[in-house]
Amino acid sequence: MQIEELLNEGLKREYKIVVEASELDAKLDAVLDEFRATAKIKGFRPGKAPISLLKRMHGDRAKGQVLNEAMQESSAKLFEEKEIRPALRPEVDMGDYEDGKNLEYTLKVEILPEISVDDFKAPALERWIAEIADADVDAFVERIAGQQKTFKKAAKTVKAAEGDAVLIDFVGSVDGVEFEGGNGEDYELELGSGSFIPGFEEQLAGVKAGDEKVVKVTFPAEYHSEELKGKDAEFKVTVKEVRRPSEAKIDEDLAKNLGFDSLDALKESVKGQLENDNKSLTRAHMKRGLLDALAEEYDFDVPPGMVDLEYRQIWEQIKRDAIQSGDAKPEDFEGQDEPADKDEAEEFHSIAERRVRLGLLLSELGVKNNVQVTQEEVNRRIIEEARRFPGQEAQVFEFYQKNEEARAQLRAPIFEEKVVDFVLEMAKLTDKTVSRDDLEAAVRAIDEEDANPAKTKKTPAKKKAAAKKPAAKKAPAKKAPAKKADEEKTPTKKAAEKKAPAKKASAKKPAAKKAPAKKADK
C-alpha cells in the first residue's frame, strides 16, 4: 500500500492511496476459494470447482467485495499509521477502476483536534440556593387544591357556561355515516378545556339538562386519523346534566383524598418535592455557568463538517418550532437551507461552533478522567424511552438492541452529564441565597435562550488551548460531541422517535392531566 498526502490544512486531510494489483488478486483468490467451499455447481463436488469457473460465475460479486474490503483495510491502516481520529465519516472517491490494475482512490477526512486538558482546573462558580419558605409550600398546596376541582350536578334549568361541565351522550357521523370512535356515553366534558376538537365545546354553551343538539365541526387538517382529516362532521349530542365546579378545600380531607395521613404529611411531601426541584434548578444554573466559563477559557479549531451538521440541525429545529407554533407555514421555508438574514445565519453558526467545541472538550475531559457510562444506565434510559410509547415497548427495546447508533445517542447525554458532575465536584463553589422565584426566572431565561438561538450571546474566547504532543500510542477515538442534554441542548432528532400507533377516530383529543408535575432536571 502506498500513501501520498495531498492536503494537510487545519483539521482537513486528503490522501491518495494505492493498493497494488497483486494484493487485490491475492484477496480475490481468497474470496473465490471461500465461495468454492460452499458453492453448489452442477458437475462438481463441493470445494472442487475450478477458480476460472468461479470467476466467470461470481467474479463481479467477488471483485466488489475485494475492493470494498481493500479500501476499508487500507483506510484503517492509514488512520493507525498517521494517528488520525476522524471527526466524521471520510469521503472516498475511487474514480474509474480498471480490472487488473492497481486500486487508486482519494480519501478526504476531517480530524478531531488535539485538546490538552492535562492542566485542567475547574472554574470557580456561583451556586444559587433557594430556601423553601412556608409561603412556597402553601402556594403549592393551593395549586394542588385548584387542580382537584370537582363538578356537582346543577339544577335542570341551569345553562352551561365556560368552566362548567356537561354530562353527555354523543354520536358522530361524516356524510351521514357513523365512524369508529365517534360515539360516547356519560362523558363529562368541561367546557373550555379544549379536550374536544375545535368548535365542539363552544356550541354547547347555553345548553341545559335534557337538551338535544347537533354540533357541526370540521376535523383539523393535521388530525391523527387519515380518514377524518379536514372532513366536516356532525355530532348528535344529548345533554344529561349540567355540572358546576366545586373547588377543593385545603383540609385534612383533601390530604386523605390524595393518599396522605394528614395535611401536615401532604405539606411535608410538597416541601420535599420543592427541595428536589430547587436542586435541579440550582444544577441547571450552575451547568450554564460552567459551560460559559469553559467557552471563555478554551478556544481551539473544530471540524467544519461537525459545525455545519450542528448548524443544519439548529436551523431545522427553528423551522419546526416556527411551523408548530403557527408563526410560519412549511411553504415559507421552501428553498431555504439557511436563514435569509446573514447576521442571523452567522449567529447560528457561532452557536453551532460553541456547542461542538464544548462537546469535544467535555468528551476529552471524560476520556482523560475515565468517566464511564454503564450498561445499566443505558438500559434505564431505554426503559424511559419505551414508556413514552405505551403498547410498543417491545418494538422500542428491539430497536435499540439492533441499532448501535441509537444506543450511542442515548449514551452521549448520560456521558456528558457525568462529566459535568465530575467537573462540578472539583469546582470551587460560592453559595448565594436567592428566592425560588429568582432561581426559576434565571433557569427560565436559560431555557428561553436555548429555545431561541438567535438570542444567545456570543462569548469571546480568551485562551487558546495548548496542542498535545504526538502520543507514542494511538489515542482512544472520540465520538462526535455529546448531544447537549440541558442548557446547551442540540436540537437533534431522537433515535427512538417513532410514530405512536394511530388512535381511533374520536371527537376527543387527549386532555392534559392536571396533577402537579415536577420540573424536569434542567
Side-chain angles (χ1 to χ4, degrees), residues 202-376:
E202 292 84 344
Q203 295 179 53
L204 293 181
V207 300
K208 58 184 184 297
D211 285 354
E212 293 184 353
K213 188 175 183 67
V214 175
V215 174
K216 297 182 179 181
V217 295
T218 300
F219 281 95
E222 66 276 9
Y223 197 65
H224 55 71
S225 171
E226 291 292 336
E227 295 78 14
L228 297 175
K229 284 184 177 180
K231 294 290 183 67
D232 294 329
E234 290 187 354
F235 288 87
K236 295 180 180 179
V237 180
T238 301
V239 181
K240 293 184 171 181
E241 293 178 7
V242 173
R243 297 176 174 178
R244 284 286 165 86
S246 176
E247 300 292 343
K249 295 181 180 179
I250 300 176
D251 54 19
E252 298 294 329
D253 289 337
L254 170 66
K256 290 177 181 179
N257 289 337
L258 291 172
F260 294 91
D261 293 334
S262 65
L263 182 58
D264 287 341
L266 169 61
K267 289 184 176 182
E268 190 63 29
S269 176
V270 166
K271 184 177 181 180
Q273 178 177 327
L274 292 176
E275 287 174 344
N276 288 333
D277 288 348
N278 282 3
K279 289 178 182 177
S280 297
L281 293 171
T282 294
R283 185 186 183 281
H285 187 263
M286 272 201 306
K287 180 181 177 183
R288 170 49 67 90
L290 169 63
L291 296 179
D292 287 346
L294 294 179
E296 280 193 30
E297 186 72 11
Y298 285 86
D299 180 32
F300 49 84
D301 292 337
V302 292
M306 292 179 71
V307 174
D308 185 63
L309 180 61
E310 186 72 26
Y311 172 80
R312 301 298 171 192
Q313 290 171 342
I314 290 173
W315 176 233
E316 289 302 317
Q317 182 65 45
I318 288 171
K319 291 195 293 185
R320 284 195 296 272
D321 290 347
I323 292 170
Q324 290 174 3
S325 66
D327 293 336
K329 297 178 180 179
E331 51 267 28
D332 295 336
F333 295 106
E334 286 184 2
Q336 285 194 39
D337 295 330
E338 60 181 349
D341 186 282
K342 290 185 178 180
D343 290 338
E344 193 174 57
E346 289 179 4
E347 185 71 18
F348 293 165
H349 192 274
S350 176
I351 295 166
E353 186 173 313
R354 166 189 162 109
R355 291 181 176 181
V356 171
R357 183 176 289 110
L358 286 171
L360 290 174
L361 176 59
L362 291 174
S363 178
E364 185 67 24
L365 284 169
V367 171
K368 185 73 175 179
N369 293 282
N370 198 32
V371 175
Q372 300 288 336
V373 175
T374 67
Q375 187 58 48
E376 182 181 355

Side-chain angles (χ1 to χ4, degrees), residues 69-322:
E69 290 178 354
M71 286 191 291
Q72 288 183 355
E73 291 174 4
S74 55
S75 297
K77 188 174 181 181
L78 163 68
F79 295 155
E80 184 175 358
E81 288 184 359
K82 301 290 185 180
E83 294 188 345
I84 288 176
R85 297 183 297 168
L88 298 170
R89 187 185 298 275
E91 179 183 335
V92 176
D93 183 6
M94 189 173 71
D96 296 325
Y97 171 73
E98 294 184 27
D99 192 17
K101 300 288 186 178
N102 293 341
L103 168 64
E104 297 184 6
Y105 70 95
T106 57
L107 183 147
K108 297 179 182 179
V109 62
E110 290 183 5
I111 65 173
L112 291 171
E114 297 294 335
I115 309 167
S116 176
V117 293
D118 293 338
D119 300 324
F120 175 80
K121 292 182 180 179
L125 299 171
E126 190 173 65
R127 176 169 57 187
W128 285 20
I129 298 176
E131 301 292 342
I132 303 299
D134 291 341
D136 296 326
V137 175
D138 292 340
F140 199 97
V141 172
E142 286 179 8
R143 287 201 295 272
I144 294 176
Q147 293 164 352
Q148 299 303 310
K149 179 171 61 177
T150 59
F151 294 93
K152 293 184 178 180
K153 182 179 178 180
K156 291 184 178 181
T157 57
V158 171
K159 295 183 178 180
E162 184 172 336
D164 292 338
V166 289
L167 186 69
I168 59 174
D169 294 342
F170 58 89
V171 178
S173 62
V174 173
D175 296 330
V177 180
E178 295 182 17
F179 56 87
E180 184 182 0
N183 301 352
E185 294 183 355
D186 293 333
Y187 188 89
E188 184 181 80
L189 172 63
E190 180 181 352
L191 303 188
S193 65
S195 54
F196 274 30
I197 58 178
F200 191 103
E201 296 168 23
E202 292 84 344
Q203 295 179 53
L204 293 181
V207 300
K208 58 184 184 297
D211 285 354
E212 293 184 353
K213 188 175 183 67
V214 175
V215 174
K216 297 182 179 181
V217 295
T218 300
F219 281 95
E222 66 276 9
Y223 197 65
H224 55 71
S225 171
E226 291 292 336
E227 295 78 14
L228 297 175
K229 284 184 177 180
K231 294 290 183 67
D232 294 329
E234 290 187 354
F235 288 87
K236 295 180 180 179
V237 180
T238 301
V239 181
K240 293 184 171 181
E241 293 178 7
V242 173
R243 297 176 174 178
R244 284 286 165 86
S246 176
E247 300 292 343
K249 295 181 180 179
I250 300 176
D251 54 19
E252 298 294 329
D253 289 337
L254 170 66
K256 290 177 181 179
N257 289 337
L258 291 172
F260 294 91
D261 293 334
S262 65
L263 182 58
D264 287 341
L266 169 61
K267 289 184 176 182
E268 190 63 29
S269 176
V270 166
K271 184 177 181 180
Q273 178 177 327
L274 292 176
E275 287 174 344
N276 288 333
D277 288 348
N278 282 3
K279 289 178 182 177
S280 297
L281 293 171
T282 294
R283 185 186 183 281
H285 187 263
M286 272 201 306
K287 180 181 177 183
R288 170 49 67 90
L290 169 63
L291 296 179
D292 287 346
L294 294 179
E296 280 193 30
E297 186 72 11
Y298 285 86
D299 180 32
F300 49 84
D301 292 337
V302 292
M306 292 179 71
V307 174
D308 185 63
L309 180 61
E310 186 72 26
Y311 172 80
R312 301 298 171 192
Q313 290 171 342
I314 290 173
W315 176 233
E316 289 302 317
Q317 182 65 45
I318 288 171
K319 291 195 293 185
R320 284 195 296 272
D321 290 347

Side-chain angles (χ1 to χ4, degrees), residues 12-29:
K12 294 182 178 181
R13 301 288 185 274
E14 183 175 349
Y15 300 93
K16 177 182 177 182
I17 302 173
V18 179
V19 181
E20 295 181 358
S22 58
E23 184 177 341
L24 296 175
D25 290 340
K27 287 180 178 293
L28 179 61
D29 289 341

